[in-house]
Structure formats: C-alpha cells, structure tokens
Amino acid sequence: MEVLIDTQTCSNPLNCYLCLERCPEKVFGTQPRTPRQPGALAQDWVIFPVFASQCTGCLECIEFCPRRAITVLPQSNYRKLRALLSLIREILFGKKTAWSWK
Amino acid sequence: MCEFCIQHGEGKKWYLTMRNYSRELWEQCNRAEYMEDFGAQFEVRCGTAVAKLDAVKSIPVVYRFFRRMAMHKNKTLHWGQIVPIEDVEQILEMQDSIVRMPCVCRRLTTGRETRYCFGVGMDIMGMFGKYPDYSHGLEVLEKEEAVGLVRSFDKQGLVHSIWTFRTPYIGAVCNCDQDCMAYGIQFKTNLTQIMFRAEYVATVDWNKCNGCKKCLLNCQFGAIGYSNTMKRPTIDMNRCYGCGVCRSVCDKEAIALLDRAQFATLPW
C-alpha cells in the first residue's frame, strides 16, 4: 500500500501523533522538516510513512486523523520508480543516505 | 563466534575487548564528527533511506542489490548485536563514563522522548550538548545505577543491544522493543540485516518448567511456542535471537542460554 500525508494540512503534529499511536503496523514515522541546527530546538516536525509496504489498508489512521491529512492508495509504479531513481542517484553522486553518513 | 569476534575480538567476544571502547580508537577516522551527525540527523537520514528501501521492496532483482549494499555499508558504519544481561553488566563494568540519553529510534517511530539508551565510554555531553533536543535528556550515571536500570529494563522485556559507530568502535548500549528501528528493519519487515543475533541461544529445561506460559509473553521475536499436548513451551532456535529476556520472568529458572557457535546451522 502507499500512504500519502499532506504536510500542509498536518502542519503541527507535535501534540497529536495519533496516527503513530493508532497504526497497528507502525507504518508512520516523524522527522524535523529541516535538518537540526546546533543550539536550536527542532520544532517543525512532519509525519511520513516509513514502512509503507507493511500497510494492510485497515484505514484506522484516516478514521483517527483530526485534520484528514492521510490518504491510503494501492502502490503505484510511479512512486516505486521515483524511490529507485533517488537510490541510484545517491550511489552515483554520493548523496548522503542512512547507511552513508559521511 | 560471530564474524566480528574473529575480526575485532582478539580471541574473545568482540564486545568484551577493551580496545573496542578505547579513546584511541575514538579519535581515529573522524568518529566524533560522525557520531554528532548521526545523532543530530538520525530521523531525516535513517527515515528517508528506510522509506526508499521499503518502496523498492517489490522490485525483485533491484531490491536484492540494494539490500546487500545496505548491509555492507551498515557493517562498516553502524552495526549492532543483541547482548544478554550478563554481558551488558560486564560491558558496563569496563566503562569510565556512562550517559543515559533519549532514544533516537523511538523519537522517530513514536514521537516521544524516552530515555532507554546509554552512551558508553565517551563524553556525549560535549557532542550532543549542542542540540537542545538531546541535551536536557542527558544524565550522567554511576555504574551501579546503570546496571540497576538495565536489570529493570530486562524485567520489562526490553532487549539489550550494542551499536558501533564506524565498526569496531562501540558507542552505545540500547534497550529495544518493537518501536526500535533496527527491530522494524531486520525482524518485522526484513528489509536488510542491521544487527547480529546474540552469541547465545535459549533452551528450556522441561524438567524444571511448570508450563506457566509467562515466557511466551516476554519474547520479542516470537520464538517461543507452546505444546498443549506436552503442557510445555518450546523454543524455536532458528528464530531465537538469544537476548535472554525470557529468563527474567521464569520463576523456575528453567531457561538457559547455550553457546550459539556449537550449532553449526543457526543463523547469526
């Protein structure tokens, strides 16, 4: 399944995180919108799907989201291809990923 | 003996070798900078990369390639191993500084600040002190306090693991459950391998066991089954990670850890 989150609608998840709590498959994760700077508290967070392939389509998240920011769709080849291209780009041009910090 | 014991262990278990915690090793290879970047940007880097790997999971050959590549990179940069409580105590005894800090994995997966992780052998305050997200959660611990905390985590069913920062330097002892990213990546979704199983594997002594089923609830890896005919639990050695957490709830002390190396076909 493919989980899309409208980060404009879900603008301040800091005091909500209902989707993170309610998802039975723990699909969601949260990260700062911009990289953390020294000396500043990360205040602008966004929700994003981490393990989208685990999604069973139970639609619990849509039911509980107070702002209706989540959409669940079957996985499209377009998204798959974009992820693939971005992974290839990381290898070719040495962009940082989780498994190559520096 | 796992692969790392042979490479970095000097004939012992690699995580019980003093050299892998030494100041000397830490000063090599830009480790301080690497660790700071790791902690500060964890959610962005790890989250995005895992999400991408997860997206290509259904493309067969390509996925195998990225899976292997991620595993290889992880082995050189940030690898973990499950460690039972006795060995954690030995590790903590060897340290001169232990800092309790907020868990980065749980910040990502639950959005909450939970302080389950220990930074060992180095001054984390100097590094993470710059980031207010972490600095107010840091706490310097005495050895006895740290050991007491790890024992209480063991009772709660949390699995202990050690983590390298540019292998073989060991910088953190974590207490994981299903919210942990490593658990999600390796066990739940099997995207790639990111940690070794423990050097042990659990067995249950049916003569001592009374079939109370408490251990079934405490196993994070679903390795314990229950035979209703025999009224006794069985431990699936192929699934067992050797964390030893099931022992902490056993009243009869029926569960013991055996050396994993003596079973030639068990996975690491």
Side-chain angles (χ1 to χ4, degrees), chain A residues 14 17 20-21 25-26 28-32 35-42 45 48-54 75 79-80 83-84 86-88 90-91 96-102, chain B residues 33-34 37-38 40-41 43-52 54-56 58-59 62 66 69 73-74 77 107-112 130-134 166 179 181 184 188-189:
Chain A
L14 262 181
Y17 289 140
L20 271 70
E21 288 163 17
E25 304 296 328
K26 304 273 177 209
F28 299 97
T30 178
Q31 66 183 25
R36 239 192 219 104
Q37 299 300 325
L41 212 62
W45 293 77
F48 70 107
V50 193
F51 300 113
S53 68
Q54 295 297 298
Q75 197 182 22
R79 297 267 159 189
K80 234 191 276 182
L84 177 61
S86 120
L87 278 174
I88 293 170
E90 275 165 18
I91 297 168
K96 288 173 187 172
T97 64
W99 54 79
S100 64
W101 260 276
K102 275 273 157 72
Chain B
E33 207 183 311
Y34 170 71
D37 190 59
F38 183 96
Q41 312 301 351
E43 291 98 341
V44 178
R45 302 263 161 83
C46 177
T48 327
V50 173
K52 280 181 200 161
D54 188 76
V56 298
S58 48
I59 313 175
V62 176
F66 284 117
M69 204 179 115
K73 282 276 185 187
N74 283 336
L77 290 173
R107 189 75 189 80
L108 201 165
T109 54
T110 66
R112 294 174 191 207
K130 288 185 219 162
Y131 298 92
D133 284 351
Y134 295 111
R166 286 186 196 255
D179 293 332
M181 280 305 277
K188 206 162 63 183
T189 63

Side-chain angles (χ1 to χ4, degrees), chain B residues 12-265:
Chain B
K12 286 186 287 182
K13 293 190 180 82
W14 68 292
Y15 51 79
L16 296 180
T17 313
M18 197 57 219
R19 205 184 78 87
N20 293 337
Y21 302 91
S22 66
R23 191 93 199 162
E24 189 195 340
L25 198 63
W26 186 49
E27 276 159 10
Q28 294 165 9
C29 304
N30 244 340
R31 280 199 173 87
E33 207 183 311
Y34 170 71
M35 269 205 77
E36 187 183 322
D37 190 59
F38 183 96
Q41 312 301 351
F42 181 83
E43 291 98 341
V44 178
R45 302 263 161 83
C46 177
T48 327
V50 173
K52 280 181 200 161
L53 197 62
D54 188 76
V56 298
K57 200 182 179 188
S58 48
I59 313 175
V61 182
V62 176
Y63 165 64
R64 292 264 303 250
F65 168 75
F66 284 117
R67 184 192 154 94
R68 286 189 72 129
M69 204 179 115
M71 195 181 96
H72 177 74
K73 282 276 185 187
N74 283 336
K75 260 186 193 165
T76 57
L77 290 173
H78 187 60
W79 196 261
Q81 184 168 27
I82 306 273
V83 173
I85 180 93
E86 296 88 351
D87 288 3
V88 176
E89 280 168 18
Q90 281 187 54
I91 290 169
L92 293 176
E93 274 309 306
M94 284 156 58
Q95 308 307 324
D96 49 4
S97 88
I98 301 163
V99 185
R100 190 180 177 190
M101 58 184 182
C103 174
V104 283
C105 293
R106 288 177 177 87
R107 189 75 189 80
L108 201 165
T109 54
T110 66
R112 294 174 191 207
E113 193 185 299
T114 43
R115 300 187 304 139
Y116 285 117
C117 297
F118 299 100
V120 293
M122 103 277 296
D123 187 19
I124 290 197
M125 310 285 267
M127 262 183 285
F128 285 170
K130 288 185 219 162
Y131 298 92
D133 284 351
Y134 295 111
S135 59
H136 65 260
L138 295 178
E139 181 190 351
V140 180
L141 293 179
E142 296 295 317
K143 275 176 199 170
E144 294 76 34
E145 276 180 287
V147 170
L149 268 170
V150 173
R151 284 207 188 112
S152 74
F153 291 150
D154 201 67
K155 284 266 179 326
Q156 293 165 30
L158 295 174
V159 178
H160 323 291
S161 56
I162 48 165
W163 291 93
T164 66
F165 294 88
R166 286 186 196 255
T167 314
Y169 181 80
I170 298 167
V173 176
C174 292
N175 296 286
C176 307
D177 62 359
Q178 59 152 357
D179 293 332
C180 190
M181 280 305 277
Y183 184 92
I185 294 168
Q186 179 166 338
F187 182 74
K188 206 162 63 183
T189 63
N190 196 11
L191 280 179
T192 181
Q193 196 181 6
I194 192 158
M195 60 189 177
F196 285 131
R197 298 174 185 215
E199 303 286 330
Y200 307 93
V201 64
T203 49
V204 54
D205 185 346
W206 278 13
N207 295 325
K208 289 183 190 167
C209 176
N210 60 358
C212 70
K213 294 191 191 175
K214 275 184 195 162
C215 51
L216 267 77
L217 292 171
N218 229 23
C219 183
Q220 299 276 3
F221 301 100
I224 308 182
Y226 187 78
S227 158
N228 214 21
T229 320
M230 306 299 290
K231 299 276 181 280
R232 292 286 182 273
T234 52
I235 295 180
D236 184 346
M237 282 192 181
N238 284 309
R239 288 196 199 168
C240 179
Y241 270 63
C243 60
V245 167
C246 43
R247 292 173 306 168
S248 65
V249 284
C250 186
D251 302 327
K252 302 283 172 192
E253 295 182 354
I255 303 173
L257 291 182
L258 303 176
D259 193 0
R260 184 177 287 267
Q262 68 184 343
F263 303 97
T265 57

Side-chain angles (χ1 to χ4, degrees), chain A residues 1-4 52 72-84, chain B residues 54-59:
Chain A
M1 292 302 240
E2 188 175 307
V3 185
L4 302 176
V72 179
L73 302 166
Q75 197 182 22
S76 67
N77 287 337
Y78 170 69
R79 297 267 159 189
K80 234 191 276 182
L81 213 67
R82 265 189 53 176
L84 177 61
Chain B
D54 188 76
V56 298
K57 200 182 179 188
S58 48
I59 313 175

